[in-house]
Amino acid sequence: MSVNAAAAQALDDIAKMMDLLGEESFKAIAHSRASRLVGDMGEDVSTLDKKALMAIPGIGAKIADKIIEFCTTGRMREHEELAARVPPGLLALMNVPNLGPKTLRTLWQEGGITDAASLEKAIADGSILTLPRMGAKSVEKIRQSLEFAKTSGERLWLGRAWALAAEIVDRMRAHQGVAKAEAAGSLRRGKETVGDLDVLVCLKKGANAAEVSEWFRASPGVTQVLAAGESKSSVRVALNHDTGRWKLEGKEGEAKAGPSIQVDLRVLPVESWGSGLMYFTGSKEHNIRLRERALAQGMTLNEWGLFPEDDEKTPPQSRGVKPVASATEEEIYATLGLAWTPPEAREDRGELDHKGAWRLVEVGDIKAELHAHTTASDGTMSIEQLASAAKARGFHTIAVTDHSRSSAIANGLDEKRLAAHVKAVHAAKVPGITILAGSEVDILADGRLDYDDEVLAGLDVVVASPHAALSQDSAAATSRLIKAISNPSVHILGHPTGRLLNKRKGLEPDMKALIEAAVAHDVALEINAHWMRLDLRDVHVRLAVEAGCKIAINCDTHEPRDMDNLRFGVMTGRRGWLTPELCINCWEEKKLHAWLKKKRK
Ligand code: DGT
Ligand code: CA
Ligand code: CA
Ligand code: ZN
C-alpha cells in the first residue's frame, strides 16, 4: 500500500514548496490536509475514482485530479514544476525543527542558501548575520537545530516521552508561583511518537514569570538551553536508552531514542489557562480550523483567549481587551458552539462536526486483560502473580495467553506443554478475578495457525498474532490475516501488523478488507498497548470503529510494569474515536464471557 505513502509525500512536498515560494497559505493548507487524508487511508488510493476521492471531505476536484495523475503515471506535474523552482536541499531543511518556511525563504532569496551545507557555511563565516532578522541569538538557535537534526532523525516513542513529561510537570507544579502545569502538544493528544515536549505553566497572581522559567531551565537532565525568555524557554534534556523488552533486538536497525529531546515551556497568566492549553495542545491543523470558526463568528482566537474581532493591528491582549472566553477549554469550545473535544481527537479529522458530547473509552472503563504471558513462555510472572496484578487494577478477568510452539525464542509451548499449562491455569485461584486459559497462537506465513483446530477449540481465549514473515507483500499479508480471522476459534487478532515504531514497518494489509472480515467473523482487532507497538494504529482504529468492528485493548503483559502501558492503548483507541461499547475489555464479566463462549459451540 505504499502508493498511499508516495502520493501523500508528493502532496506534502507540494504544500511545503508552496510555503517556501510564499504562495497563498490556503493552497498549502489544502495540500497538506489532502496529504494527511491520503496517508491515513485504509484502502489503496489507486482503487478510488474521481467521484470517490471527491466524496472525501477535504479533497476537491483539483487535488483529486493530481492524485489520479499520480496513481496512473507515477508523477504529479505540479510537483515537478514546483520542484524545478525550489532547490531540493531547501525542501529538506523544512524538516529541521525550528526552521519555518518564512525563515528559509529569507535565507534562500536574500542569502542564496539552498541546502544544509550552504547554511552551515553562512553560519560559519558570519555572512548570515547580514540577512534580515538574523541576530546572533536566532543564528545560534538555527545552528543548534541543524546540529540536532544531524544526530537524531527520529521522533520519540510516546511511552518514553510520557515518563519525562510527568517528571517535568511535577517539578513545575512544585514551584510556589505555579497555579497549574500540564504537558500539551502531541503528547497530550496521545500521538504514537512525539517530536518535542510542550509544557504549559500558568502563574498564580503576582508570581514572577522569569523566576518560574529559570526553575524550568534548571530541571535535572537539561544539557542545553536553546531559548531563555521570560515566558518562553526551550531546553534539551538527555534521555537514557531504555527500550523495554526490545533492548537486544538490533536486527532491523538499532533504535536511536536519544540522546536528547527538546522541551518547550510557555508561561501564561492563569486567566489564559484554557486558551493557552488549547493553543499549545494543537494540533496545528485543529487550531487552524478553530480560528476559521472563530473568525466566521466575528471573533479571534489565540493563546491569550477568544476575543471580539476588530480592525486593530496590535493583538487584543496587549490593548487590555477583555476576552469573551479564556479560562477553561470548555468555555472556549462552548462559545464557539462546540462540545469540549478530547485532545486525542484534535487532528482535523472531522471532529468539529461531531454531534453532542464525546464519550470515548477511558482507562477506568477497562476491566479485563486478554493477552498476557507467564513464565511458561517469556513472561516474568507466575499465573497467580499475573492474576493478582490484574486484580489490583480492578479487572474482573485475566486471560493467560502464552506463546505457541513456533515462537521458539519466546519459549513457545508445544501441544503437550500447552495441555499441562491449561490445567495449571484452570487450577489457579485468586479470589475476585476469573483466570482464563488461552494462547497467543502464531499466525504462520500462509495464514495457518500454530495449533490444530481441536486444540484451539479447547481454549477459553485465542489471540492469533503474526510474529514472523513480517516483510511479505501487502496481498500476501491480507490473505494471511483474513485466513486467521476466519478460523472459528479465534477471538482476537493480536498486534495485527507486527510493526515496531521506529524499528520495523510490519505488515501492510488492505485494512478495509481486514476490518470487513473481522466484522463478518465477529473477531476483535487488538490495539496492543505497548508504546513500541500501538498496533492497530489510530487511523485504522477509526476505520474499524466506523465499520462497527470490535476492538480489544491489551497490554500484552510480560512483566508487572507492562500494565502501566494501558493508557497508551486507550489513547490510541481515543484517537480512533473508540467508544466503550465497541471495546470488549470494557464489557462487564457476564457479557464478555458469553461472547467468548459463543465461539465454543
Ligand atoms: P510534535 O512536537 O511534532 O510531535 O507535534 P506538536 O503538535 O506537539 O507540535 P509543536 O511542538 O510544533 O507545537 C505544539 C503546539 O503548538 C501545536 O500542536 C499547536 C501549537 N502551534 C505551534 N505552532 C503553531 C502555528 O504555527 N500555528 C498554530 N495555530 N498553532 C501552532
Ligand atoms: Ca511537541
Ligand atoms: Ca514544540
Ligand atoms: Zn505477540
Side-chain angles (χ1 to χ4, degrees):
M1 205 146 306
S2 52
V3 62
N4 290 19
Q9 179 72 58
L11 289 166
D12 188 55
D13 284 352
I14 289 179
K16 285 183 171 142
M17 291 190 286
M18 285 174 158
D19 270 339
L20 284 167
L21 289 163
E23 294 191 6
E24 288 160 303
S25 65
F26 75 88
K27 281 197 200 162
I29 290 173
H31 283 83
S32 105
R33 261 176 203 158
S35 162
R36 286 184 296 123
L37 289 166
V38 171
D40 291 348
M41 240 170 227
E43 70 262 70
D44 195 323
V45 67
S46 60
T47 62
L48 302 182
D49 61 11
K50 187 166 177 181
K51 210 173 130 208
L53 282 170
M54 286 176 60
I56 302 169
I59 296 186
K62 281 191 193 155
I63 290 183
D65 283 337
K66 291 176 208 176
I67 295 170
I68 289 168
E69 182 194 1
F70 187 82
C71 292
T72 47
T73 67
R75 305 166 45 200
M76 254 182 230
R77 239 174 320 132
E78 184 170 14
H79 185 276
E80 290 172 8
E81 282 162 19
L82 290 169
R85 295 165 63 199
V86 177
L90 198 68
L91 185 59
L93 284 176
M94 288 279 282
N95 296 325
V96 174
N98 307 319
L99 265 185
K102 266 198 207 136
T103 307
L104 284 171
R105 217 165 106 75
T106 311
L107 294 172
W108 172 34
Q109 304 204 325
E110 315 270 334
I113 285 160
T114 55
D115 55 16
S118 52
L119 178 54
E120 277 171 356
K121 188 168 164 290
I123 294 172
D125 65 19
S127 61
I128 192 172
L129 291 165
T130 62
L131 300 175
R133 291 185 306 279
M134 285 295 146
K137 247 172 139 184
S138 46
V139 169
E140 176 55 16
K141 219 171 142 186
I142 293 175
R143 193 192 64 75
Q144 287 173 349
S145 298
L146 263 180
E147 198 58 37
F148 176 67
K150 271 202 285 193
T151 57
S152 155
E154 271 164 4
R155 297 167 59 82
L156 185 67
W157 297 282
L158 176 62
R160 297 290 319 285
W162 191 272
L164 177 61
E167 280 173 30
I168 295 174
V169 167
D170 281 349
R171 175 181 169 86
M172 295 317 294
R173 284 180 184 153
H175 192 286
Q176 56 177 16
V178 170
K180 292 173 180 217
E182 199 74 68
S186 51
L187 180 101
R188 182 166 181 242
R189 302 199 310 279
K191 211 168 154 173
E192 60 195 34
T193 59
V194 306
D196 67 9
L197 298 182
D198 306 280
V199 176
L200 176 69
V201 157
C202 283
L203 296 177
K204 287 183 187 155
K205 285 247 159 15
N208 184 322
E211 199 181 275
V212 169
S213 296
E214 179 57 41
W215 172 251
F216 166 75
R217 296 191 298 266
S219 297
V222 169
T223 55
Q224 203 179 18
V225 175
L226 302 169
E230 196 167 297
S231 60
K232 284 185 190 174
S233 293
S234 284
V235 297
R236 214 169 271 297
V237 179
L239 290 161
N240 62 31
H241 281 277
D242 180 8
T243 54
R245 2 182 232 288
W246 285 278
K247 217 175 313 191
L248 300 174
E249 268 180 27
K251 271 185 242 152
E252 305 192 36
E254 268 310 318
K256 282 189 291 162
S260 65
I261 184 166
Q262 180 172 327
V263 186
D264 294 341
L265 176 80
R266 185 69 195 267
V267 181
L268 286 170
V270 73
E271 301 81 46
S272 295
W273 174 250
S275 46
L277 199 54
M278 274 171 80
Y279 176 84
F280 226 23
T281 298
S283 66
K284 192 174 158 200
E285 293 77 13
H286 176 83
N287 289 354
I288 290 173
R289 287 287 191 202
L290 288 177
R291 285 204 306 267
E292 286 169 359
R293 196 177 170 103
L295 280 179
Q297 298 179 21
M299 294 179 280
T300 90
L301 177 63
N302 65 24
E303 62 268 52
W304 295 83
L306 181 62
F307 297 91
E309 167 76 335
D310 54 33
D311 292 334
E312 302 283 328
K313 271 251 156 68
T314 350
Q317 68 274 8
S318 10
R319 288 181 277 124
V321 179
K322 210 174 135 33
V324 188
S326 67
T328 67
E329 291 191 333
E330 284 80 0
E331 69 179 51
I332 298 167
Y333 278 109
T335 311
L336 292 171
L338 297 164
W340 178 81
T341 307
E344 296 91 339
R346 300 182 193 173
E347 294 289 350
D348 186 24
R349 291 179 179 146
E351 63 273 16
L352 298 197
D353 300 324
H354 187 272
K355 298 276 171 287
W358 293 76
R359 175 60 172 98
L360 302 179
V361 62
E362 292 165 13
V363 169
D365 295 326
I366 304 284
K367 294 290 174 220
E369 161 75 334
L370 299 172
H371 179 175
H373 301 267
T374 67
T375 48
S377 63
D378 59 348
T380 64
M381 289 183 278
S382 68
I383 299 164
E384 284 81 5
Q385 283 170 333
L386 179 65
S388 304
K391 174 74 184 47
R393 303 253 161 188
F395 294 175
H396 57 61
T397 299
I398 174 83
V400 177
T401 59
D402 279 297
H403 286 285
S404 63
R405 59 187 163 196
S406 287
S407 284
I409 33 166
N411 189 22
L413 282 63
D414 61 23
E415 297 189 350
K416 213 172 134 205
R417 280 180 66 214
L418 176 68
H421 191 45
V422 166
K423 270 204 187 126
V425 171
H426 282 154
K429 293 246 168 336
V430 171
I433 187 161
T434 306
I435 311 175
L436 299 176
S439 168
E440 184 190 13
V441 62
D442 255 52
I443 305 173
L444 306 178
D446 61 3
R448 282 178 305 129
L449 300 183
D450 203 18
Y451 292 128
D452 290 341
D453 287 348
E454 308 84 79
V455 174
L456 293 173
L459 299 170
D460 304 328
V461 183
V462 174
V463 179
S465 315
H467 290 110
L470 296 175
S471 34
Q472 66 189 166
D473 65 48
S474 170
T478 307
S479 67
R480 171 193 194 178
L481 296 176
I482 288 181
K483 190 166 172 195
I485 286 172
S486 317
N487 184 302
S489 294
V490 170
H491 296 102
I492 297 170
L493 184 65
H495 48 72
T497 74
R499 75 163 179 177
L500 292 179
L501 284 158
N502 286 349
K503 291 197 87 176
R504 74 175 174 227
K505 213 156 65 151
L507 301 171
E508 295 181 297
D510 178 332
M511 273 297 163
K512 279 231 159 130
L514 201 72
I515 289 164
E516 249 169 55
V519 171
H521 294 277
D522 201 17
V523 163
L525 300 182
E526 178 180 82
I527 299 172
N528 192 291
H530 198 289
W531 43 265
M532 189 77 108
R533 292 194 184 273
L534 297 178
D535 176 17
L536 281 186
R537 56 171 291 206
D538 53 6
V539 291
H540 295 154
V541 174
R542 176 84 180 271
L543 287 175
V545 166
E546 277 167 3
C549 181
K550 294 185 181 67
I551 297 285
I553 301 179
N554 290 321
C555 293
D556 190 357
T557 307
H558 283 71
E559 52 184 317
R561 68 170 175 174
D562 287 344
M563 285 192 178
D564 292 332
N565 291 330
L566 186 57
R567 59 165 70 92
F568 308 123
V570 168
M571 288 181 108
T572 301
R574 291 167 66 82
R575 289 177 64 80
W577 298 21
L578 177 62
T579 59
E581 291 75 39
L582 270 185
C583 176
I584 62 172
N585 307 66
C586 301
W587 293 353
E588 56 166 300
E589 184 161 13
K590 254 171 103 180
K591 180 175 175 183
L592 174 65
H593 290 193
W595 180 74
L596 292 171
K597 284 208 182 95
K598 225 169 63 185
K599 296 218 170 204
R600 291 293 172 267
K601 270 174 207 156

